[in-house]
């Protein structure tokens, strides 16, 4: 663990209260400022003594490794997707498959650090609002840590696979009238009254764990920095976390350039992409976001302004894709590369295809698409958008007729 302090992202003041998630002076968002002076004495190979995964990068994390609540998160595959890349015109295309994390999504990276910090603080109960993946992850890590857990879900808006996980791991699952933003408002009120320790991405320790996906990508590419990293954007903490990791690697001298961070949103939930199109540093919240990609069905992203800074500072881009293109990309990835992702994850692939067609992405770019969650998180969407099961008589001839 490196020395660190929590500061306001807006006004820069130090924040000492470990239970607050907003600046007491200006109401701004918080972030963790790491002291990386000792890390500058190391090389990337020094960390390789530890197995690849979140805690290999403990030097960049604000939690003591001895308190780690871990179920072996991270270490996810980075696939070279030649067939997919050839089809969409990006030969040097990679997919970072976060669906291989223990609960099936990238949320495990932030949650191992967030729950470990909750253990350091000695809190008895943790909680979050969620469109699904956050609740599944928090429920698992709370169970591992022996903490009580409450998750606040928007009524009728959570995919079956994610809901099943939260229930299975023993969390108190609360269905709230309204959308994700309504559920988050209630969770934040509970946190303000010290009834729960909130582990949504407004908590500054959560994105610290999510930085590790960038560290892993660099390890897996042997520090050949990609030209562009594309990822789906919902609540927007992940793109900010990756940007923060990039700046920290530059600070310690391990890389000398920044990949262009490119955020993709669904057409029906696109406040960040709209702000980027308008060239503004802030966004206008959407009251009624709607998309088949439930994990990014968020109209008022907590880290939206941070995401815009990440995109602008790296010379990146943001755009939208319609649900039909998300589903088409989901199937294309599965049928060209054998990788099964949930719809929100496929937004990054759909975005890569669109931006290549627009000429925003050059053919010779090295591109990494981050796919944030496993396809089995949302089996209903897969079943509803694939060819129906074929009725077949119990005979070789009947099978041959169908195959031909």
């Amino acid at each position: 663990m490196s020395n660190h302090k929590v500061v306001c992202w807006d006004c820069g003041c130090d924040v000492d209260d470990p239970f607050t998630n907003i600046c007491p002076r200006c109401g701004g968002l918080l972030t963790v400022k790491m002291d990386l002076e000792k890390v500058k004495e190391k090389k990337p190979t020094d960390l390789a003594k530890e197995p690849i995964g979140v805690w290999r990068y403990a030097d960049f994390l604000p939690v003591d490794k001895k308190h780690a609540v871990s179920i072996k998160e991270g270490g996810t595959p980075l696939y070279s997707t030649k067939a997919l890349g050839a089809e969409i015109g990006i030969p040097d295309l990679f997919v970072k498959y976060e669906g291989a994390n223990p609960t099936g999504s990238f949320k495990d990276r932030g949650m191992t650090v967030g729950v470990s910090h909750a253990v350091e603080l000695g809190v008895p109960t943790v909680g979050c609002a969620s469109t699904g993946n956050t609740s599944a992850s928090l429920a698992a890590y709370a169970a591992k840590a022996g903490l009580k857990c409450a998750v606040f879900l928007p009524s009728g808006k959570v995919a079956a696979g994610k809901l099943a996980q939260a229930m299975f791991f023993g969390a108190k699952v609360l269905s709230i009238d309204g959308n994700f933003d309504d559920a988050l408002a209630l969770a934040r009120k509970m946190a303000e009254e010290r009834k729960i320790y909130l582990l949504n991405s407004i908590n500054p320790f959560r994105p610290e764990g999510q930085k590790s996906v960038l560290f892993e990508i660099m390890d897996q590419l042997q520090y050949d920095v990609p030209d562009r990293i594309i990822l789906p954007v919902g609540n927007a903490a992940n793109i900010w976390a990756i940007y923060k990791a990039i700046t920290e690697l530059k600070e310690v001298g391990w890389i000398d350039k920044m990949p262009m961070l490119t955020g993709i949103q669904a057409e029906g939930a696109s406040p960040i992409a709209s702000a980027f199109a308008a060239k503004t540093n802030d966004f206008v919240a959407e009251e009624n976001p709607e998309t088949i990609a439930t994990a990014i069905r968020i109209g008022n992203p907590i880290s939206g302004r941070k995401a815009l800074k990440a995109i602008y500072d790296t010379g990146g881009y943001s755009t939208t894709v319609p649900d039909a293109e998300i589903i088409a990309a989901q199937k294309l990835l599965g049928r060209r590369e054998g990788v099964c992702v949930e719809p929100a994850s496929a937004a990054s692939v759909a975005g890569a295809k669109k931006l290549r067609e627009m000429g925003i992405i050059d053919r010779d770019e090295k591109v990494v698409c981050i796919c944030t969650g496993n396809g089995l998180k949302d089996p209903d969407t897969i079943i509803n958008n694939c060819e129906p099961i074929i009725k077949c008589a119990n005979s070789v001839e009947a099978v041959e007729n169908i195959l031909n």
Side-chain angles (χ1 to χ4, degrees):
M1 176 184 68
S2 295
N3 292 328
H4 67 277
K5 60 182 178 179
V6 177
V7 301
C8 176
W9 186 71
D10 288 285
C11 73
C13 77
D14 291 355
V15 178
D16 297 323
D17 182 353
F19 296 98
T20 188
N21 292 307
I22 58 172
C23 176
R25 187 164 78 183
C26 75
L29 299 172
L30 306 183
T31 190
V32 176
K33 185 172 179 57
M34 302 296 299
D35 179 356
L36 299 173
E37 286 305 308
K38 290 185 178 179
V39 185
K40 292 177 183 178
E41 301 170 5
K42 297 186 177 183
K43 304 184 294 294
T45 51
D46 292 331
L47 305 189
K49 299 167 188 174
E50 295 290 330
I52 193 167
V54 172
W55 293 97
R56 169 183 281 190
Y57 311 102
D59 287 344
F60 291 90
L61 302 178
V63 174
D64 194 323
K65 189 176 179 180
K66 70 183 181 183
H67 296 138
V69 178
S70 174
I71 49 177
K72 305 300 182 184
E73 53 291 316
T76 58
L78 180 69
Y79 295 121
S80 177
T81 52
K82 297 298 184 185
L84 176 66
E87 180 138 349
I88 68 176
I90 308 173
D92 207 5
L93 179 68
F94 295 81
V95 163
K96 179 65 168 168
Y97 181 48
E98 290 292 88
N101 274 295
T103 75
S105 89
F106 77 102
K107 301 290 187 177
D108 293 348
R109 295 182 181 276
M111 214 56 78
T112 183
V113 173
V115 172
S116 297
H117 185 57
V119 169
E120 287 184 329
L121 294 175
V123 300
T125 306
V126 292
C128 70
S130 178
T131 56
N133 282 327
T134 300
S135 65
S137 184
L138 178 57
Y141 283 86
K144 178 70 173 179
L147 302 178
K148 294 180 182 178
C149 178
V151 298
F152 303 79
L153 308 181
S155 178
K157 298 291 187 180
V158 177
K162 305 170 189 179
L163 178 60
Q165 285 178 292
M167 296 168 69
F168 176 77
F169 291 123
K172 299 294 185 184
V173 180
L174 310 172
S175 180
I176 306 302
D177 290 337
N179 60 25
F180 168 80
D181 299 312
D182 299 315
L184 180 59
L186 178 57
R188 290 181 68 174
K189 184 176 181 182
M190 291 285 292
E192 288 164 7
E193 295 181 9
R194 301 292 195 264
K195 304 291 174 60
I196 62 170
Y197 180 68
L198 187 65
L199 276 166
N200 279 95
S201 57
I202 192 173
N203 182 308
F205 286 80
R206 267 271 313 278
E208 293 300 300
Q210 289 170 217
K211 294 185 308 188
S212 62
V213 70
L214 186 278
F215 300 146
E216 282 186 14
I217 290 169
M218 296 311 308
D219 265 347
Q220 290 165 319
L221 293 177
Q222 298 181 316
Y223 280 79
D224 180 11
V225 181
D227 297 295
R228 187 183 302 269
I229 297 176
I230 306 176
L231 61 162
V233 174
N235 221 14
N238 212 26
I239 194 168
W240 163 254
I242 290 170
Y243 170 74
K244 193 169 186 292
I246 293 166
T247 61
E248 290 176 358
L249 289 186
K250 283 197 73 178
E251 180 184 342
V252 300
W254 292 6
I255 62 173
D256 58 8
K257 74 170 189 177
M258 288 188 168
M260 295 175 281
L261 295 184
T262 300
I264 308 300
Q265 296 202 286
E267 276 189 355
S270 57
I272 304 301
S274 297
F276 179 82
K279 298 182 171 62
T280 62
N281 295 316
D282 203 351
F283 64 92
V284 177
E286 294 181 6
E287 287 189 14
N288 298 298
E290 191 57 58
T291 172
I292 199 168
T294 56
I296 53 174
R297 187 193 278 147
I298 295 171
N300 188 20
I302 288 294
S303 300
R305 290 186 298 121
K306 290 180 175 180
L308 287 164
K309 178 175 174 58
I311 293 166
Y312 291 136
D313 282 7
T314 61
Y317 204 85
S318 185
T319 191
T320 64
V321 285
D323 282 358
E325 291 180 16
I326 289 173
I327 295 300
Q330 182 187 27
K331 292 165 74 172
L332 187 64
L333 178 60
R335 295 175 185 191
R336 294 294 180 273
E337 301 292 346
V339 179
C340 181
V341 302
E342 66 172 312
S345 298
S348 62
V349 176
K353 184 175 185 294
K354 175 180 177 177
L355 294 178
R356 178 70 190 100
E357 292 168 352
M358 291 172 60
I360 300 297
I361 296 178
D362 293 333
R363 181 177 176 81
D364 61 354
E365 285 185 25
K366 182 188 290 290
V367 176
V368 176
C369 286
I370 296 180
C371 289
T372 47
N374 194 299
L376 297 182
K377 291 280 193 170
D378 192 355
D380 292 341
T381 297
I382 289 176
I383 292 169
N384 293 337
N385 287 280
C386 286
E387 299 80 1
I389 295 171
I390 301 167
K391 294 197 70 170
C392 179
N394 188 3
S395 73
V396 170
E397 182 181 12
V399 175
E400 286 182 324
N401 287 337
I402 291 169
L403 294 180
N404 291 330

